[in-house]
DNA sequence: ATGGTCAAGCTTTTT
DNA sequence: GCTTGACCAT
C-alpha cells in the first residue's frame, strides 16, 4: 500500500508518521494504553498503521527495538513489516523481533529447551513428518481396526494441542470404557513419546510447549515478560487458543522477585532486575470477516471478546478502503452481509465505481481456464503486468487445468503453495541427511535416508536395528554403530557401518562449517546425485537438478546469514510458507489458493470455480459454521482485487478423473446482478453453446441447490437463474459423450515435432477450428503463434504442443 | 532386497 | 488422474 505518503520526504517526528492518515488511522497510530484492538477491514491500510505505530514508539524513545515483539502470519508479512519500519526509522529498527508465532517460539525454545528435557538442536516435524510418525504408530498398534487413519489421528491430536491439552490432561477426562478412546490415548501417548525421544517438536508443539515452558518456569517467563514491552499481533482473528494463551502469558506483569541474579539476553546480568514494571502493552489487528482458519483451530472469539479479555482496551475501526473500486467493495459488502452474527461494517472508498465485475461460465474447467488465459493476454496488452495478475481457487487440485492451458498459451505463471520445493521426496531425503547430522536422536530422518540411495538396507534390516535399539535402550543411530553384533550379512553390515561413519564424520564439522560444505560433503560421500543421474527413470534427472538447486539454496543462505548454523538453516526451511517465496519481481501470473491469497493484493484477480461443492466446499457443508467460513473465504478473495475482478465457474468439472455437473455457487446470487457483466452467464452456458441469453422461469429453490438464503427476492443473473429444467438438462448432457459440448475446450496436447508457422498460414485447431496465424514470436520449442480463429477469437498458442495442423 | 504391476482411495484450506 | 500399498517375480 504505497498510497499514503512518500517516506523519502520527511517532515519531522510524529507528524511525519501521521501524514496522509485518516482520523481513525491516526488514533490507531497514536493511542497509548495497555490494550488496543484495531478492527481493520480489507485494504484499510493496516500495515501502514502498524508500521507507523512501531516507528512512533521507536522515534519517541518510548521503546528500544529489543522491547518490541511483532507477530505476523507469514514470514513474508514479517519481512515486509520489517522493511517498512526500516524505511521509516532506518537502522533504529535493528533488534526488533518481527516474526511469525512459530519462528518466535522456536527462538525462545532453542534458548530454553534444556529446561525441560530437550536439547537446543531439536528438529521441527512438519506435517509430513508427523504423519509418517503416526503411520508407524497406527500400524504398530493395529489402530486401523478401530477406524483410525493417519489423518483422523493427526487432526485430533492437533486440535487437542491447539487447546493446550497434553496426554496427561486428556487422559484425566478420557472414558476408558470406550475402546476407541483408549486406543486413541495409546496413539497420542506413543506419538508424544516418539517426538520427545527424537528431540523433536511438531508445529503445534512450538506454540504449546512455549506456553508450557512459561507456565512451568515462571522465572523464564519473567525474563520475556520483562523484555517485551510492546507486543503487536497481526491477523488476530486467526489465532488459536494456544496462541492466545501465549500472548496472555507474555502480557502478564513480570514477577521481578524472580529476576534477581538472572542473566539477560546478552548473557550479562540484568540491570536493576527488581524494578517494578507494568505488563507489556498489547496491540492486535484483525478483521473477523477475514477469519478463514477455523479448521486449524483459529478461534474467532479471541478477537470478538478482546474487550472483555483485556479490560480497558481501546477499539479503533478502520473502514475506509484504499485498495479496491466501489463495485468490488459493494460486491464484497453484499456477500459478507449474509453472515448474520457479525458486527456490521461497510467498506467504502472514494476512488469511484470502476469497471464492472466480469463473470464467465465455461463448459468445462478447461474452457474456464481458456477464458482466463485469453483475458490475461488482453489485460497484458492493455498494460497490466503479469505480476499484477492473480488466479485464485479453492483447492490445489484445480491448478492442473489452469496450468495446462497456461502452458499451451505460453503464459508465464507460477503456482504458490501446492507441492512445495521442500516437500519433494528428493529434497526431503537430502534434508534427512542434514537432520541426521544435526540431531542424531531423530530416528525418522535416519529411516528416511537409511536406504536412499539404495544400499541394500531393507525393511527387515531396519527392523533388526530398531529392535536392537529398543532392547539396549539406545537410539537408532547408536544401534547402527553396533551393526556388526547383529549377525546380519556382511554386505548389509558393511553398508550400515559405512553410512554411520559418513554421518559421524560429517557431524564433526557440522557446528562450524558452512551449511553448503556440510551438504556437499554428505552428497559426495553418499554418491547421492550420481545415483540419481545413473537411474533409468527420466524423472530422476529433474530430481538431481532439484538437489543441485538445494545446494544453491544453502549457499544463498550462507551469504545472507554469515553466522548461520546448520540448525538455523533447518529451522528456516521448516517454517517457510507458501506465500513466503512470493516477492520476486519476475513477470509471472500468480496462481494460489484462496487461503494463500490472504493479505495479498493484485491489480486484477480471477476467482475461479465459483461453484457449489467447491465454494462452499462439499466438506464444509456439514460443519457448524462451515458455509459462513467459506463465505468469508470468498470475501477475502474478492477484496484482494484492486481494479479488475473476474468470477468464473464451469458447467462440468472433472474430479477423480470423472466428469460431474457443477452448479453455480450460492454466493453468486448474493452479489447484486447489476455489478456483474456476464460474458457468459450460467444460463447462457446451459443453452448449449448458444450466445443468446436464455430466459428461464427459474424455480428459485433450484438455483445452486442452495436453500434460498436471505429471502432470495431478486437474484436473477442477467440471463435468469438456471432453474430445475436447465439443471436437469445439464445433468442429462453430462451423461452423454463430451463431444456434444461443441464449444468446450479440451486439454488435448500433442507433439508437433518441429512444425514451424509463419504469419499468414492457415491452421486447423482441434478445439478452436480454423484460423489464420497473425504473428509468431519466440524460437525453437518455445515459439508462440498468435492466431485469429474464425469463431473462437484470438488465441496465443505454444506451437510445439498445440493440437493443430497446417491447412 | 528390489522392482514391477495392479487396485484402491482419494482432495478442502496451512503454520 | 495420481499416489499409495499390497502382492509377486526376480
Amino acid at each position: 500500500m504505497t498510497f499514503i505518503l512518500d517516506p523519502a520526504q520527511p517532515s519531522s517526528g510524529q507528524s511525519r508518521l501521521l501524514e496522509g492518515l485518516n482520523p481513525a488511522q491516526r488514533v490507531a497510530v497514536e493511542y497509548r494504553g495497555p490494550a488496543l484492538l484495531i478492527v481493520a477491514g480489507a485494504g484499510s491500510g493496516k500495515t501502514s498503521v502498524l508500521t507507523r505505530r512501531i516507528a512512533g514508539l521507536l522515534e519517541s524513545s518510548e521503546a528500544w527495538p529489543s522491547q518490541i515483539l511483532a507477530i505476523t502470519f507469514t514470514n513474508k508479512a514479517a519481512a515486509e513489516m520489517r522493511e517498512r519500519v526500516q524505511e521509516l526509522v532506518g537502522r533504529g529498527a535493528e533488534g526488533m523481533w518481527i516474526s511469525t508465532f512459530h519462528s518466535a517460539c522456536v527462538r525462545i525454545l532453542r534458548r530454553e529447551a534444556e529446561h525441560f528435557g530437550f536439547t537446543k538442536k531439536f528438529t521441527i516435524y512438519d506435517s509430513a513428518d508427523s504423519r509418517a510418525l503416526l503411520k508407524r504408530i497406527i500400524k504398530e498398534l493395529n489402530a486401523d481396526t478401530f477406524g483410525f487413519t493417519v489423518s483422523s489421528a493427526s487432526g485430533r491430536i492437533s486440535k487437542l494441542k491447539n487447546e493446550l491439552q497434553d496426554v496427561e490432561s486428556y487422559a484425566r477426562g478420557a472414558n476408558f470404557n470406550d475402546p476407541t478412546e483408549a486406543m486413541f490415548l495409546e496413539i497420542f501417548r506413543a506419538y508424544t513419546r516418539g517426538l520427545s525421544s527424537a528431540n523433536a517438536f511438531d508445529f503445534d508443539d512450538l506454540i504449546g510447549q512455549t506456553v508450557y515452558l512459561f507456565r512451568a518456569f515462571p522465572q523464564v517467563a519473567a525474563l520475556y515478560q520483562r523484555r517485551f514491552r510492546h507486543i503487536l499481533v497481526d491477523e488476530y482473528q486467526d489465532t488459536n487458543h494456544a496462541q492466545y494463551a501465549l500472548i496472555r502469558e507474555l502480557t502478564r506483569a513480570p514477577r521481578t522477585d524472580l529476576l534477581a541474579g538472572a542473566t539477560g539476553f546478552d548473557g550479562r546480568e540484568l540491570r536493576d532486575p527488581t524494578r517494578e514494571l507494568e505488563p507489556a502493552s498489547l496491540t492486535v489487528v484483525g478483521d473477523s470477516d477475514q477469519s478463514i482458519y477455523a479448521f486449524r483451530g483459529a478461534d474467532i472469539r479471541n478477537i470478538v471478546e478482546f474487550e472483555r479479555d483485556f479490560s480497558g482496551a481501546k477499539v479503533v475501526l478502520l473502514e475506509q478502503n484504499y485498495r479496491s473500486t466501489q463495485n468490488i467493495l459493494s460486491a464484497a459488502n453484499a456477500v459478507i452481509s449474509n453472515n448474520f452474527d457479525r458486527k456490521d461494517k461497510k467498506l467504502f472508498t472514494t476512488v469511484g465505481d470502476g469497471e464492472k465485475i466480469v463473470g464467465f461460465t465455461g463448459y468445462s474447467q478447461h474452457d474456464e481456464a481458456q477464458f482466463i488465459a485469453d483475458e490475461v493476454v488482453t489485460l497484458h496488452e492493455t498494460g497490466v503486468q503479469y505480476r499484477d495478475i492473480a488466479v485464485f481457487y479453492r483447492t490445489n487440485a484445480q491448478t492442473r487445468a489452469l496450468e495446462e492451458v497456461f502452458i499451451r498459451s505460453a503464459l508465464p505463471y507460477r503456482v504458490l503453495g501446492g507441492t512445495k520445493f521442500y516437500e519433494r521426496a528428493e529434497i526431503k531425503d537430502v534434508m534427512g541427511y542434514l537432520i541426521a547430522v544435526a540431531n542424531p536422536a531423530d530416528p525418522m530422518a535416519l529411516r528416511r535416508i537409511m536406504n536412499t540411495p539404495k544400499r541394500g538396507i531393507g525393511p527387515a534390516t531396519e527392523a533388526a536395528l530398531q529392535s536392537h535399539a529398543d532392547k539396549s535402550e539406545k537410539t537408532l543411530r547408536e544401534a547402527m554403530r553396533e551393526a556388526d553384533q547383529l549377525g546380519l550379512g556382511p554386505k548389509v553390515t558393511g553398508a550400515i557401518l559405512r553410512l554411520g561413519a559418513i554421518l559421524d564424520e560429517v557431524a564433526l564439522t557440522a557446528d562450524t562449517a558452512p551449511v553448503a560444505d556440510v551438504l556437499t560433503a554428505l552428497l559426495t560421500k553418499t554418491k547421492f546425485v550420481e545415483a540419481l543421474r545413473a537411474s533409468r527413470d527420466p524423472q530422476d534427472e529433474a530430481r538431481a537438478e532439484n538437489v543441485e538447486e538445494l545446494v544453491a539454496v544453502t549457499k544463498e543462505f550462507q551469504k545472507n546469514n554469515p553466522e548461520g548454523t546448520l540448525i538455523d538453516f533447518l529451522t528456516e526451511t521448516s517454517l517457510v510458507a507458501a506465500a513466503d517465496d512470493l516477492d520476486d519481481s519476475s513477470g509471472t501470473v500468480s496462481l494460489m489458493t484462496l487461503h494463500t491469497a490472504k493479505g495479498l493484493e493484485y491489480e486484477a484477480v480471477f476467482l475461479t470455480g465459483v461453484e457449489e461443492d467447491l465454494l462452499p466446499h462439499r466438506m464444509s457443508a456439514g460443519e457448524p459454521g462451515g458455509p459462513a467460513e467459506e463465505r468469508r473465504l470468498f470475501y477475502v478473495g474478492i477484496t484482494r482485487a484492486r481494479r479488475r475482478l473476474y468470477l468464473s465457474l464451469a458447467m462440468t468439472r472433472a474430479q477423480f478423473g470423472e466428469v460431474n455437473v457443477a452448479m453455480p455457487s450460492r454466493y453468486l446470487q448474493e452479489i447484486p446482478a447489476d455489478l456483474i457483466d456476464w460474458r457468459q452467464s450460467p444460463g447462457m452456458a446451459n443453452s448449449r453453446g448458444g450466445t443468446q441469453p436464455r430466459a428461464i422461469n427459474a424455480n428459485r429453490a433450484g438455483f445452486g441447490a442452495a436453500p434460498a438464503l436471505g429471502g432470495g427476492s431478486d437474484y436473477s443473473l442477467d440471463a435468469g437463474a438456471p432453474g430445475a429444467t436447465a439443471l436437469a438438462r445439464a445433468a442429462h448432457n453430462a451423461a452423454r459423450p463430451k463431444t456434444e459440448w461443441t464449444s468446450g475446450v479440451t486439454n488435448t496436447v500433442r507433439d508437433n515435432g518441429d512444425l514451424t508457422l509463419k504469419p499468414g498460414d492457415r491452421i486447423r485447431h482441434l478445439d478452436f477450428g480454423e484460423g489464420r496465424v497473425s504473428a509468431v514470436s519466440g524460437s525453437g520449442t518455445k515459439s508462440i503463434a498468435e492466431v485469429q480463429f474464425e469463431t473462437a477469437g484470438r488465441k496465443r498458442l505454444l506451437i510445439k504442443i498445440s493440437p493443430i495442423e497446417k491447412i
Side-chain angles (χ1 to χ4, degrees):
Chain A
M1 206 129 346
T2 48
F3 61 95
I4 286 182
L5 65 62
D6 179 4
Q9 300 177 3
S11 47
S12 68
Q14 283 291 30
S15 71
R16 177 177 63 97
L17 294 175
L18 297 176
E19 221 168 276
L21 296 186
N22 68 38
Q25 289 176 321
R26 284 177 186 227
V27 174
V29 170
E30 286 191 302
Y31 177 79
R32 295 293 183 267
L36 169 65
L37 164 62
I38 304 171
V39 176
S44 59
K46 65 165 189 184
T47 309
S48 260
V49 164
L50 264 182
T51 50
R52 282 151 196 256
R53 187 171 169 81
I54 294 172
L57 289 167
L58 294 174
E59 281 198 344
S60 62
S61 300
E62 286 164 84
W64 298 110
S66 65
Q67 295 177 324
I68 289 177
L69 170 64
I71 307 264
T72 59
F73 202 68
T74 62
N75 295 304
K76 164 101 181 356
E80 188 187 336
M81 185 174 297
R82 175 178 299 279
E83 207 170 288
R84 288 179 53 177
V85 174
Q86 246 153 23
E87 273 171 26
L88 291 169
V89 302
R91 302 198 44 152
E94 280 169 28
M96 288 185 301
W97 280 32
I98 302 187
S99 68
T100 61
F101 271 106
H102 292 84
S103 318
C105 286
V106 170
R107 248 173 120 172
I108 295 169
L109 287 172
R110 290 234 187 265
R111 263 182 66 96
E112 317 290 347
E114 270 132 39
H115 285 287
F116 60 129
F118 289 83
T119 80
K120 50 171 50 95
K121 297 192 172 185
F122 63 80
T123 29
I124 301 165
Y125 277 15
D126 65 18
S127 355
D129 299 328
S130 56
R131 289 173 69 92
L133 175 56
L134 276 169
K135 195 166 160 186
R136 282 182 65 86
I137 291 169
I138 287 173
K139 202 164 197 175
E140 245 161 58
L141 297 172
N142 275 319
D144 52 338
T145 56
F146 290 81
F148 283 105
T149 62
V150 172
S151 63
S152 70
S154 99
R156 233 173 120 181
I157 290 174
S158 174
K159 221 174 211 134
L160 287 169
K161 288 189 175 185
N162 286 335
E163 292 295 321
L164 292 177
Q165 296 249 41
D166 60 11
V167 183
E168 309 323 316
S169 69
Y170 181 74
R172 259 177 263 130
N175 168 15
F176 289 93
N177 294 324
D178 179 348
T180 314
E181 201 162 335
M183 179 52 84
F184 174 70
L185 191 59
E186 282 302 297
I187 298 173
F188 195 6
R189 181 165 284 137
Y191 177 72
T192 306
R193 207 179 311 122
L195 281 173
S196 66
S197 73
N199 190 31
F201 294 111
D202 67 18
F203 276 140
D204 300 317
D205 284 339
L206 295 178
I207 317 289
Q209 296 283 18
T210 307
V211 173
Y212 168 79
L213 172 81
F214 285 163
R215 289 185 177 167
F217 303 93
Q219 74 280 14
V220 175
L223 218 52
Y224 291 87
Q225 287 157 351
R226 187 177 189 280
R227 171 184 173 137
F228 297 124
R229 305 277 75 223
H230 299 273
I231 298 176
L232 303 96
V233 185
D234 196 6
E235 309 281 14
Y236 193 67
Q237 77 281 355
D238 283 324
T239 51
N240 61 34
H241 179 72
Q243 291 164 334
Y244 166 81
L246 182 75
I247 295 301
R248 276 242 88 125
E249 292 304 323
L250 282 171
T251 52
R252 286 184 203 290
R255 280 184 54 191
T256 49
D257 56 308
L258 296 170
L259 288 172
T263 44
F265 289 75
D266 48 9
R268 280 177 299 182
E269 274 202 20
L270 293 173
R271 239 184 315 139
D272 39 291
T274 52
R275 187 161 70 94
E276 293 288 331
L277 286 172
E278 296 277 296
S281 89
L282 174 65
T283 303
V284 305
V285 188
D287 176 4
S288 42
D289 288 337
Q290 293 184 63
S291 161
I292 54 173
Y293 282 101
F295 72 93
R296 199 168 84 190
D299 191 342
I300 205 164
R301 282 175 310 182
N302 289 344
I303 191 164
V304 176
E305 295 173 9
F306 184 81
E307 292 167 80
R308 194 183 320 159
D309 272 349
F310 296 88
S311 57
K314 167 94 175 163
V315 180
V316 178
L317 222 71
L318 305 181
E319 289 182 293
Q320 180 164 3
N321 177 292
Y322 295 93
R323 178 186 296 154
S324 312
T325 64
Q326 188 60 49
N327 277 343
I328 291 169
L329 293 182
S330 299
N333 284 331
V335 167
I336 202 65
S337 67
N338 287 282
N339 276 359
F340 53 92
D341 57 347
R342 60 187 279 278
K343 271 193 205 153
D344 196 38
K345 163 161 102 288
K346 283 240 185 303
L347 298 175
F348 67 95
T349 180
T350 55
V351 304
D353 285 349
E355 308 271 343
K356 278 197 178 186
I357 295 165
V358 174
F360 182 82
T361 312
Y363 295 91
S364 66
Q365 54 209 335
H366 291 101
D367 204 25
E368 179 192 21
Q370 185 65 54
F371 165 76
I372 292 163
D374 291 348
E375 284 301 317
V376 167
V377 170
T378 311
L379 284 171
H380 190 245
E381 282 168 356
T382 58
V384 183
Q385 304 271 320
Y386 288 129
R387 76 174 69 96
D388 292 325
I389 302 173
V391 184
F392 301 156
Y393 37 80
R394 180 71 223 307
T395 68
N396 281 306
Q398 288 166 254
T399 51
R400 186 162 302 130
L402 291 164
E403 284 195 74
E404 282 163 0
V405 172
F406 271 51
I407 289 170
R408 286 197 321 188
S409 307
L411 288 171
Y413 71 92
R414 57 189 302 194
V415 179
L416 301 176
T419 316
K420 282 165 264 169
F421 182 69
Y422 290 102
E423 285 169 8
R424 290 168 192 270
E426 64 277 15
I427 299 302
K428 291 226 81 163
D429 291 338
V430 176
M431 296 298 282
Y433 275 98
L434 291 176
I435 292 169
V437 163
N439 177 12
D442 189 342
M444 296 282 294
L446 214 43
R447 279 196 207 97
R448 175 153 203 127
I449 60 171
M450 191 99 70
N451 201 28
T452 328
K454 298 264 178 306
R455 42 173 82 87
I457 309 174
T461 310
E462 188 198 301
L465 280 169
Q466 185 63 55
S467 80
H468 177 69
D470 292 344
K471 249 183 286 169
S472 47
E473 297 202 340
K474 290 184 167 139
T475 63
L476 187 59
R477 175 72 172 280
E478 285 160 338
M480 284 175 65
R481 298 198 186 100
E482 297 165 3
D484 47 351
Q485 306 164 21
L486 295 180
L488 296 163
K491 259 175 112 171
V492 205
T493 310
I496 297 169
L497 292 175
R498 242 173 290 133
L499 173 61
I502 291 173
L503 294 176
D504 286 340
E505 196 184 326
V506 175
L508 292 177
T509 67
D511 284 337
T512 49
V515 181
D517 294 0
V518 175
L519 178 55
T520 322
L522 284 167
L523 293 177
T524 317
K525 288 178 205 286
T526 58
K527 301 197 170 39
F528 193 97
V529 181
E530 282 100 312
L532 283 176
R533 296 229 191 266
S535 151
R536 285 185 298 113
D537 186 341
Q539 290 194 316
D540 280 343
E541 188 53 38
R543 296 193 178 108
E545 274 165 34
N546 285 333
V547 174
E548 307 281 9
E549 173 68 24
L550 184 67
V551 176
V553 170
T554 59
K555 288 185 179 148
E556 182 70 20
F557 170 81
Q558 213 74 67
K559 213 174 78 196
N560 299 335
N561 311 272
E563 305 289 305
T565 64
L566 175 56
I567 292 286
D568 295 333
F569 176 72
L570 292 174
T571 302
E572 191 172 296
T573 51
S574 29
L575 297 178
V576 289
D580 289 347
D581 47 44
L582 175 68
D583 60 341
D584 85 79
S585 50
S586 62
T588 60
V589 178
S590 301
L591 275 55
M592 71 192 84
T593 65
L594 284 164
H595 283 88
T596 304
K598 189 176 77 158
L600 306 175
E601 59 177 83
Y602 292 88
E603 202 64 20
V605 163
F606 292 86
L607 219 165
T608 72
V610 190
E611 297 152 27
E612 283 296 303
D613 287 348
L614 213 46
L615 191 68
H617 196 274
R618 184 184 299 118
M619 293 296 178
S620 74
E623 284 158 39
E629 172 142 327
E630 299 279 308
R631 185 178 282 111
R632 290 194 290 270
L633 198 50
F634 187 48
Y635 173 80
V636 166
I638 292 173
T639 53
R640 300 307 93 195
R642 285 200 283 260
R643 316 209 62 84
R644 308 293 306 255
L645 176 64
Y646 296 80
L647 301 176
S648 63
L649 60 152
M651 294 304 304
T652 64
R653 189 168 292 274
Q655 270 177 324
F656 310 125
E658 247 179 289
V659 179
N660 291 307
V661 175
M663 290 180 284
S665 167
R666 66 189 74 173
Y667 303 141
L668 272 180
Q669 332 160 27
E670 297 172 357
I671 300 177
D674 60 342
L675 293 178
I676 306 183
D677 167 20
W678 282 99
R679 300 281 177 81
Q680 185 160 268
S681 75
M684 288 148 84
N686 250 330
S687 56
R688 261 196 246 164
T691 47
Q692 290 305 305
R694 234 176 108 86
I696 295 165
N697 281 334
N699 169 357
R700 283 172 179 169
F703 184 99
L709 291 170
S713 52
D714 60 344
Y715 56 68
S716 65
L717 307 166
D718 75 348
T725 344
L727 293 173
R729 185 202 315 285
H732 180 65
N733 277 346
R736 296 211 194 156
K738 221 164 65 179
T739 48
E740 200 172 305
W741 300 65
T742 45
S743 25
V745 171
T746 65
N747 66 344
T748 318
V749 164
R750 75 171 65 155
D751 188 343
N752 288 320
D754 45 11
L755 172 74
T756 53
L757 296 175
K758 56 184 187 313
D761 283 349
R762 284 193 60 78
I763 59 160
R764 182 180 295 115
H765 186 285
L766 190 68
D767 294 328
F768 307 135
E770 294 184 10
R772 182 177 297 278
V773 177
S774 46
V776 176
S777 57
S779 60
T781 56
K782 300 245 170 70
S783 54
I784 300 156
E786 195 178 295
V787 184
Q788 183 66 46
F789 286 99
E790 279 153 22
T791 52
R794 200 160 45 101
K795 309 278 177 198
R796 268 161 67 93
L797 302 173
L798 194 58
I799 295 173
K800 178 142 175 74
I801 59 164
S802 296
I804 50 175
E805 55 189 348
K806 241 193 238 192
I807 50 177

